[in-house]
């Protein structure tokens, strides 16, 4: 039996397992430019990290006064994003090692993401992560996206795991808030370093302020086996 006992691990996808934010930024920039709002910057994009695609589009419709129906915008953004995601989505090397390490121990794993089911499938298949991560939940499949706990609770349900036995890996404050609301432990790996002091990250049991640079598969595994106080 694994020394991790009955633990199940739930991964956020974008910015946690894979560095997909540059692709989301480019797709978002293209969409907004197409609808008459050029000049969208990376700094503009940072404020939407961790927020579901549907929620983001709702904000844009109000902020920019976009007339197109939200469903049409979602289809357009997904089309633009998938064209990029299928060809250039890098996996964080230590995250891949962590997934492989957990798989070797038979730890149940899932992905719970604000991205569409199509985007999740494309990325996991294209990166080879689908070999270990077959249980997935999109925010499109639940009532509310992060920071609501719905995607994580649904992931736990599909794994047959109690929320208290689940550990979430997240790069964004809304995701950390969602994990806390779900009653799950959280390893927080901020994608945007300047957001490490966000109140939601303070709820994480392990906060790696250095983001992916501070994450190693072995250290994360050891923490799961013997949790230490939050840092």
């Amino acid at each position: 039996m694994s020394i991790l006992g009955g633990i199940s691990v739930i991964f956020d996808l974008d910015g946690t397992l894979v560095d997909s934010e540059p692709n989301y930024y480019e797709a978002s920039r293209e969409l907004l430019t197409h609808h008459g709002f050029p000049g969208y910057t990376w700094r503009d994009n940072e404020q939407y990290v961790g927020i579901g695609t549907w929620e983001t589009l709702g904000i844009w419709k109000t902020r920019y006064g976009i007339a197109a129906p939200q469903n049409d915008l979602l289809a357009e953004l997904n089309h633009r994003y998938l064209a990029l995601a299928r060809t250039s989505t890098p996996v964080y090397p230590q995250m891949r090692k962590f997934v492989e390490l957990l798989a070797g121990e038979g730890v149940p794993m899932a992905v719970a993401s604000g991205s569409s089911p199509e985007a999740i499938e494309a990325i996991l298949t294209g990166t080879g992560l689908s070999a270990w991560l077959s249980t997935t939940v999109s925010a499109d499949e639940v009532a509310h996206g992060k920071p609501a706990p719905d995607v994580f609770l649904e992931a736990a349900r599909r794994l047959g795991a109690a929320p208290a036995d689940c550990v979430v890996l997240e790069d964004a404050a809304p995701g950390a808030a969602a994990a806390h609301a779900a009653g799950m432990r959280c390893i927080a790996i901020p994608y945007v370093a300047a957001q490490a002091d966000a109140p939601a990250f303070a709820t994480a049991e392990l906060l790696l302020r250095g983001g992916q640079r501070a994450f190693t598969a072995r250290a994360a595994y050891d923490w799961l086996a013997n949790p230490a106080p939050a840092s």
Side-chain angles (χ1 to χ4, degrees), residues 167-185:
V167 176
V168 170
L169 278 81
E170 257 290 351
D171 73 297
H180 183 67
M184 301 177 181
R185 288 183 290 155

Side-chain angles (χ1 to χ4, degrees), residues 10-88:
I10 303 174
F11 294 90
D12 171 58
L13 180 62
D14 304 298
T16 299
L17 277 172
V18 299
D19 190 10
S20 53
E21 288 301 334
N23 289 339
Y24 268 113
Y25 164 65
E26 180 60 23
S28 299
R29 188 193 64 77
E30 290 176 359
L31 179 142
L32 290 170
T33 298
H34 177 72
H35 288 275
F37 301 95
Y40 185 71
T41 68
W42 178 258
R43 179 163 290 186
D44 294 330
N45 192 71
E46 284 185 340
Q47 65 188 295
Y48 302 107
V49 171
I51 300 176
T53 305
W54 182 256
E55 288 81 3
T56 297
L57 290 169
I59 294 170
W60 288 350
K61 276 184 62 65
T62 300
R63 178 167 296 177
Y64 298 110
I66 300 174
Q70 196 162 333
N71 279 323
D72 291 352
L73 291 175
L74 180 62
E76 179 183 351
L77 185 62
N78 280 338
H79 176 76
R80 293 179 182 278
Y81 173 72
L82 286 171
L84 298 166
R86 288 191 175 102
T87 58
S88 58

